[in-house]
Amino acid sequence: MSVDWREIEEKWVKRWEQQKTFEADPDPSRKKYFVTVAYPYPNSPQHIGHGRTYTLADAHARYMRMKGYNVLFTMGFHYTGTPILGMSRRVAAGDQDLIDTFHNVYKLTDDVISTFVEPIKIASYFHSEIKQGMKEMGYSMDWRREFTTIDRMYSKFIVWQFNTLKKKGLIVQGSHPVGWCPRDQNPVSQHDTMGDVEPDFTEYVLVKFRRGNVVIPSATLRPETIFGVTNMWVNPDAEYVEVSVDGEKWLVSKEAARKLEFLNRAVKVEKTIKGSEMVGWEITNPLNNAPIVVYPASFVEADSGTGVVMSVPAHAPYDYQALADLKNNKALQQKFGIAVSVEPIVIIESEGYSSVPAAQAIEKAVPGPKEDKLEKATSDLYSHEFYKGKMLAKAGKYAGRPVAEIKNEVKEEMSRAGMTSVMYELNNPVRCRCGAECVVKLLSNQWFLNYGDKGWKALAHECIQKMDVVPQDIRQEFDYVIDWLRERACARKSGLGTKLPWDQEWIIESLSDSVIYMAYYTIAKFVNAGAIPDIDSIGDSFFDYVLLGQGDAEKVARECKIQKQTVEQVRNEFSYFYPVDSRHSGRDLVPNHLSFFIFNHVAIFGREMWPRQVVVNGSVLMEGKKMSKSLGNIIPLRAAISEHGADTIRLAILVSAEILQDADFSFDTVRGIRSKLFGMFDMAERVKDVPTVAPEEVEDKWLASRLARASSVTAESMDRLRVRESIHHILYLLEQDLQWYEKRVSAKGRQDSPVVLSALAGYLKTQVRMLAPFAPFTAEELWERLGNKHTIAQAGWPESSTVDMGAEESEFLLQSLLADIQSIVKVTKMESKKIVIYTRAVWKEPAYRMILSNVLQGKTNFGENMKQLIANPETAKVKTDPNLVKKMQDDILSAPVEARERRLKLGQFDEAAAISDGASLIAKEFAGAEVIVNAEDDPARYDPKGKAKFARPFKPAVYLE
């Protein structure tokens, strides 16, 4: 049959809106469940990759709704910050790369693009685009609560948040390093950069080596290794500059001089020299005044550190290899007029390393490309020596002490003596969305959120410990981030956003105003309904009352010019829906937004309002490749919906991987899923008007039992948010059950009986209800076609009825027997005319049950089990055939745990009846062969080859002729 997916989708979006299906209000008679997901920046359309996080959150919300919860699922739009501003500037500057993206990827016309010189036009255009895409994807959101982060009332909310934090001493003013855009003159965070790269940086110690009165600083992370410096490296082809730095003469690369300017150093370039001129210089180690020589090295990067590298070949594999290469390169030595005679100086001893550790580390590294070996050797050796190394005699007063213990002492001693300085450097190249290359800047008189505060960190750790983190693997990442987070700039001088209440020159930055916005959803409903008419009159007292329960409603109403009833309603709304029950976001937000979300909640709210769950998912690959403009594989979400349908996109995204893995989106998967959904529509046509009839035969009871089990198992998977596993149960495992059932009834010639059609209708109704959280349009349409008047969202998750263990064992036995016969046929290559099946003798049953009981208790020692069987008169007969006991134990161990537990509970089970019931299917599978079922201990059995004696419980013997 043909299915008009677009018509179905439009029908149900309209129906949900008309019936207000997803509007949630406080209801004391029902448990609430508040699901939130990161709101988007409206600076581009959402693509398939974005769809994963939002679809996971929506499936979660829909599932909880079907379990009977009063679910609130909401959405806002994040306008603030510099991304939209940066994009607007690029449009105004005629950035061809961006304009090509608008044309080729997002299919925008020049008329639309020309309006983007105004930032707000970009935001409003893509806001509308994203919202429409969310509706088309079937997201079950309460749109009454929609807001943007430049709404006036939201700004009042942010002012309150910052005033509250400042009163608690958690916002400080000072000088701290930040990622910085030189063009915008603003701090940058992840969402301000191209590719959403977090501008992480490292603090380096600059060791001040000297040549006369000139400082030649070298950046290092291992100041304790200064005792083992043998030489310095410079790039002979790079340009270096002699500069005055705060009145002191330094010699650094040109690139380093520029970086120093951003660290509040007074830098003045006095002259330029080539690196080649420095080769052969003798300079002085500041710690021990030892003379060291400058050697050439092409691996030194002028834009890394200061462009000058101190060489510790005994403990740095790169230095060891470079020194060895230089010693062997006589031509290079001759070119620069140097003779290389230095040897590595070993200053650290550690278990597993002797002689020269760097040399051994290189030898230990897995064979491969030279660069990979050196990288691995460096990582392994640095870590090993830090945790397990001790300083040797050449370290003077530090000799005999652990590296981890003295590292900071060496650093601080050298700093006090004026031997070092500090330099900050980005870990990776980062570009602002405006196109400028970012740097690290030391900001003075800047406002910071003091995430380094120990008390604040302790509360954040406590919250992480108490909350549910999905998946559990990610919990340690949160703890790690909380430990290393330090002061973070929370304001900037330009961009969209709320002004800092006590210093109007500053605008609160975009990640700092998006940490507790979930609370604002409970307020936004009233703002959008016009219940708070005079926003200018709203002060902190309003938020103190509705969000913290502080103050008096009547006084707040008077001060803020709101009806007292409204103030109390807003308070009730917040009190009912808060805290957040589940917060969904991508893994890339763990180091920033999600951790800030935790920090700010524990700072502002009492423990009873701390978030209860964080759900973190991986990203999406496109046909095995990372999505990028250069590969041309970024597909806007709305375009994908238009071509393939929302439900197929939803399912293809969700079924590709479990939550933390990267999902590999494939159009082959899309096509396969579309085929399965078509099949469900075909079945609905067949069974839509079928009356309910009770099961009659064993396969009918089995199908009902399998449905009950599937409902229960899928619910267990969804309770743990194992979404891929859940869909696999619904679309694949249930389909296998259906195919088996249809084979069984077809073999009996009862496929069109009222009982079978009723069973199929029951199957489809259960499958559709379970599918509803993942494919809502298909589920709603099928549910209606099956004769239901209310929406499937109101139908609830299918209740798990009693599992019929006898029916399940009957079909399991039959399936196993068929597989055994097929294996025999494959080996013998026989076309059998007769299949004789022998069920076990009665005396074998108690022995099997005793072994089964032991195995389920973990007792699998064959000798011990054998002794126990022989000691029992009821089972002593097994001593005549020890091999039988071994085979029965092996049978049990190879059976699924579910089957083992079922067989123990079943007690007596009539195998012959089960096999006889399936004889018609066995005959049909093997070209109409005659099927005979005999008991092993039946004296009248047909057994020409003596096969019956090999029968075991749940493992019949088979003879073919």
Side-chain angles (χ1 to χ4, degrees), residues 815-881:
Q815 289 168 340
S816 302
L817 179 58
L818 269 176
D820 287 345
I821 297 171
Q822 285 163 349
S823 296
I824 295 169
V825 169
K826 187 175 181 181
V827 170
T828 61
K829 297 182 171 57
M830 287 179 63
E831 284 191 19
S832 303
K833 297 286 191 292
K834 184 182 291 185
I835 301 173
V836 187
I837 300 161
Y838 307 97
T839 58
R840 83 286 180 277
V842 174
W843 73 266
K844 293 179 180 177
E845 175 68 20
Y848 181 90
R849 290 181 61 77
M850 186 177 287
I851 299 168
L852 177 60
S853 177
N854 285 346
V855 168
L856 285 171
Q857 294 174 60
K859 300 173 183 177
T860 57
N861 183 285
F862 172 72
E864 292 296 322
N865 286 342
M866 193 71 184
K867 283 180 189 177
Q868 186 179 349
L869 289 164
I870 293 171
N872 187 332
E874 191 182 10
T875 57
K877 191 174 178 180
V878 298
K879 65 184 175 185
T880 63
D881 190 0

Side-chain angles (χ1 to χ4, degrees), residues 697-706 740 744 803-813 902 906 909 914:
E697 306 221 6
V698 66
E699 63 268 21
D700 305 329
K701 297 171 185 175
W702 172 82
L703 183 63
S705 184
R706 294 297 294 172
W740 174 258
R744 286 279 275 129
V803 168
D804 188 325
M805 290 191 292
E808 291 211 6
E809 188 56 55
S810 291
E811 301 305 303
F812 184 78
L813 176 64
R902 179 176 64 233
L906 264 176
F909 176 71

Side-chain angles (χ1 to χ4, degrees), residues 583-837:
R583 175 68 178 165
H584 285 252
S585 209
R587 188 175 192 168
D588 58 320
L589 297 186
V590 172
N592 41 69
H593 166 73
L594 284 174
S595 293
F596 304 159
F597 159 76
I598 292 165
F599 265 103
N600 283 266
H601 269 84
V602 301
I604 292 174
F605 299 107
R607 285 174 174 79
E608 72 282 0
M609 293 299 177
W610 289 2
R612 292 174 176 168
Q613 182 186 68
V614 168
V615 181
V616 180
N617 60 266
S619 57
V620 178
L621 306 176
M622 180 64 67
E623 304 282 6
K625 296 177 182 175
K626 187 175 180 180
M627 284 194 242
S628 72
K629 287 183 292 184
S630 61
L631 292 174
N633 63 356
I634 292 179
I635 300 176
L637 193 56
R638 293 190 68 196
I641 295 167
S642 177
E643 185 171 351
H644 301 285
D647 283 347
T648 50
I649 296 297
R650 287 173 66 113
L651 288 166
I653 291 172
L654 297 180
V655 82
S656 299
E658 281 304 353
I659 201 160
L660 196 57
Q661 300 167 333
D662 288 344
D664 189 1
F665 184 87
S666 158
F667 287 106
D668 283 342
T669 304
V670 169
R671 286 185 283 272
I673 287 169
R674 175 67 68 90
S675 175
K676 288 183 182 298
L677 298 184
F678 274 130
M680 294 174 73
F681 276 93
D682 286 338
M683 182 183 279
E685 284 300 303
R686 183 182 172 198
V687 303
K688 64 182 179 181
D689 297 319
V690 171
T692 301
V693 182
E696 286 182 355
E697 306 221 6
V698 66
E699 63 268 21
D700 305 329
K701 297 171 185 175
W702 172 82
L703 183 63
S705 184
R706 294 297 294 172
L707 288 170
R709 187 180 296 280
S711 171
S712 174
V713 168
T714 305
E716 288 174 10
S717 296
M718 273 306 289
D719 288 341
R720 294 180 292 137
L721 284 174
R722 295 189 62 81
V723 176
R724 178 181 182 273
E725 186 174 275
S726 301
I727 296 172
H728 188 71
H729 290 315
I730 298 163
L731 284 186
Y732 299 95
L733 297 184
L734 267 184
E735 187 177 275
Q736 289 175 18
D737 289 342
L738 177 65
Q739 289 170 353
W740 174 258
Y741 178 72
E742 290 180 325
K743 281 173 70 171
R744 286 279 275 129
V745 298
S746 175
K748 290 183 175 182
R750 57 189 296 263
Q751 59 267 36
D752 294 320
S753 78
V755 174
V756 169
L757 292 176
S758 174
L760 292 177
Y763 167 91
L764 185 59
K765 287 176 182 177
T766 301
Q767 185 184 36
V768 165
R769 283 167 74 182
M770 288 195 289
L771 190 63
F774 315 104
F777 295 109
T778 299
E780 288 282 21
E781 185 66 19
L782 287 170
W783 191 245
E784 185 178 71
R785 292 188 187 191
L786 288 169
N788 296 287
K789 302 303 180 188
H790 51 74
T791 71
I792 202 164
Q794 299 166 295
W797 190 258
E799 292 181 9
S800 180
S801 54
T802 305
V803 168
D804 188 325
M805 290 191 292
E808 291 211 6
E809 188 56 55
S810 291
E811 301 305 303
F812 184 78
L813 176 64
L814 191 54
Q815 289 168 340
S816 302
L817 179 58
L818 269 176
D820 287 345
I821 297 171
Q822 285 163 349
S823 296
I824 295 169
V825 169
K826 187 175 181 181
V827 170
T828 61
K829 297 182 171 57
M830 287 179 63
E831 284 191 19
S832 303
K833 297 286 191 292
K834 184 182 291 185
I835 301 173
V836 187
I837 300 161

Side-chain angles (χ1 to χ4, degrees), residues 20-33 65 69-73 142 144-145 521-522 525-526 529 569 572-574 576-577:
K20 302 179 179 181
T21 307
F22 308 121
E23 292 184 5
D25 295 305
D27 180 354
S29 68
R30 297 169 64 201
K31 285 186 176 180
K32 65 89 182 183
Y33 201 84
R65 223 175 258 119
Y69 286 86
N70 184 17
V71 175
L72 177 60
F73 185 38
D142 184 347
R144 296 175 302 164
R145 301 168 188 274
Y521 285 121
T522 63
K525 183 183 86 170
F526 296 92
Q569 284 176 336
N572 179 55
E573 190 93 10
F574 173 79
Y576 176 79
F577 281 115

Side-chain angles (χ1 to χ4, degrees), residues 525-536:
K525 183 183 86 170
F526 296 92
V527 177
N528 297 341
I532 304 177
D534 189 358
I535 290 172
D536 290 338

Side-chain angles (χ1 to χ4, degrees), residues 153 156 523 526-527 529-546 552-571:
M153 186 64 173
K156 293 279 188 176
I523 301 170
F526 296 92
V527 177
I532 304 177
D534 189 358
I535 290 172
D536 290 338
S537 297
I538 299 296
D540 286 357
S541 63
F542 172 81
F543 298 102
D544 283 338
Y545 181 77
V546 300
D552 175 72
E554 190 168 326
K555 184 180 179 184
V556 168
R558 190 168 55 251
E559 288 176 355
C560 299
K561 299 179 182 177
I562 311 174
Q563 291 183 3
K564 179 186 175 184
Q565 180 185 4
T566 301
V567 174
E568 290 173 337
Q569 284 176 336
V570 180
R571 170 63 184 166

